[in-house]
Amino acid sequence: MTRTPPLSEGELQPTDERQFFAQPKPPVGDAEVNAATPAEAHYHGHRDRLRDRFREHGDAALADYEILELILFRLIPRRDTKPIAKALLSRFGTLAGVFGAPLNLLQEVKGVGESVALDLKLIATASHRMLKSELREKQVLSSWSAVIDYCHAAMAHETKEQFRILFLDKRNALIADEVQQRGTIDHTPVYPREVIKRALELSATALILVHNHPSGDPTPSRADIEMTKLIAEAAKPLGIALHDHIIIGKDGHASLKGLRLF
C-alpha cells in the first residue's frame, strides 16, 4: 500500500480562523518553552489591563475599539485583536455598524473569517432580542423611544430596503413584528391589500409601518407618502388605525405622522 506523505506545515488548511491563530500550549515544566515571547507578553498583558479597567470602571473607561477587542478576545484567543477591532471600526464606522454589517462584508476584513463573523452576528441578534423584549406586553405608544431604538438596531445598517410592520392590539400592545417585504437598495414593493389581510389575520386594531433607507437619509420619498396614504385609507373602514410610518436611516429617523404627511 502506498502511503500519502503528510502535508507540510505550510500546506495545512485550517477549518476556521480561530484554529489558524491558535498555538499549541507548551508542556508544563519545560522552562524554555514556558517563557513567553515578547509578542505574547504584549497582547496577553494588554488583555489583562483592559479587563481590569472594565471591571473597575465599566464601559466608560474604554474606547469603542477596546470594547470590540474584549469581545474578540474570546473569539480569537491567541492573536493580538487590536488591529482587527480597529479595522472593523474603520470599515463600518461605529459599533452599531460593525454588528449590523452583513456576514459577507464582515469577512472582507482581514482576520475575520466565517466563525468570527457568525459570532458577531449572534451578539447582534441577542441585542435585538433584548430591545424587542422591552416592547412586549407594553403600550407601544407610551414606549416610543424603545420602538425607535429597536427599529434602528434591527434595520439601520441593512444594505437593502425592508418593509416591517408592528401589529398592535386594542391596548396598543405589540402582537407581532414582521418583515413583510425585502427589496433593493432603493425600493421595496408594498401591497396595501396584503398589509390589511395580515392585520385581519392577527386581529390587529392598529399598525406601525417601518422601513429603512440604505442610503442613510430618512427623508420620505413621494412614493413613501402615497403608499402610506393608501394603507391608511384601506385600513380605516375596517377599524384599523395607522399610527405612524417610520423611516429609519443610519443616523436618524423620520416620522410621517410627525411630518403630517398622511
Side-chain angles (χ1 to χ4, degrees):
M1 179 183 296
T2 303
R3 292 187 177 181
T4 303
L7 293 173
S8 67
E9 183 178 354
E11 296 174 313
L12 291 175
Q13 299 296 320
T15 56
D16 65 43
E17 69 282 359
R18 290 174 293 187
Q19 292 180 1
F20 180 81
F21 295 129
Q23 299 297 323
K25 294 183 178 180
V28 176
D30 188 327
E32 181 176 331
V33 294
N34 274 339
T37 65
E40 288 174 332
H42 164 72
Y43 72 77
H44 284 305
H46 175 63
R47 293 181 176 196
D48 291 339
R49 288 189 294 273
L50 274 188
R51 290 191 183 101
D52 288 343
R53 281 166 54 199
F54 182 70
R55 183 185 303 110
E56 294 171 11
H57 305 291
D59 67 287
L62 301 176
D64 283 356
Y65 78 88
E66 291 173 320
I67 294 287
L68 197 50
E69 274 191 87
L70 281 173
I71 294 170
L72 291 171
F73 290 167
R74 299 292 184 182
L75 308 183
I76 309 175
R78 290 183 171 84
R79 189 185 181 190
D80 182 3
T81 57
K82 182 189 289 187
I84 301 173
K86 288 189 171 181
L88 283 166
L89 285 169
S90 176
R91 173 69 183 273
F92 301 111
T94 63
L95 281 175
V98 172
F99 289 111
L103 279 171
N104 62 311
L105 295 186
L106 285 170
Q107 292 178 74
E108 290 180 3
V109 175
K110 185 178 181 181
V112 178
E114 183 180 16
S115 296
V116 168
L118 281 170
D119 286 342
L120 290 173
K121 296 306 294 182
L122 179 61
I123 294 169
T125 298
S127 176
H128 297 167
R129 293 285 180 91
M130 179 184 70
L131 291 170
K132 187 175 181 178
S133 70
E134 294 297 309
L135 302 178
R136 291 289 182 190
E137 306 302 326
K138 293 183 179 178
Q139 291 188 351
V140 168
L141 298 185
S142 64
S143 307
W144 198 244
S145 62
V147 172
I148 299 301
D149 288 345
Y150 166 67
C151 292
H152 194 274
M155 305 175 70
H157 298 280
E158 290 289 334
T159 57
K160 295 182 180 179
E161 279 199 11
Q162 290 184 356
F163 180 70
R164 179 184 298 267
I165 306 176
L166 306 183
F167 297 93
L168 311 179
D169 65 15
K170 62 183 179 180
R171 298 180 300 111
N172 287 320
L174 185 66
I175 298 173
D177 159 33
E178 297 179 355
V179 175
Q180 294 291 303
Q181 297 288 340
R182 289 180 169 86
T184 64
I185 59 171
D186 60 2
H187 175 69
T188 304
V190 178
Y191 306 100
R193 180 176 179 176
E194 294 302 316
V195 173
I196 303 304
K197 177 183 175 183
R198 184 59 177 153
L200 293 172
E201 289 173 349
L202 294 170
S203 298
T205 57
L207 307 172
I208 297 174
L209 311 179
V210 191
H211 84 277
N212 63 308
H213 281 179
S215 67
D217 180 3
T219 303
S221 67
R222 176 54 55 184
D224 294 335
I225 298 167
E226 291 175 354
M227 177 266 290
T228 305
K229 290 179 177 178
L230 284 174
I231 293 176
E233 291 168 1
K236 188 175 181 179
L238 299 171
I240 302 171
L242 178 57
H243 286 323
D244 206 345
H245 182 176
I246 304 166
I247 301 176
I248 300 292
K250 287 186 176 65
D251 299 314
H253 70 280
S255 160
L256 270 70
K257 187 77 169 182
L259 294 170
R260 299 183 179 181
L261 293 176
F262 73 95

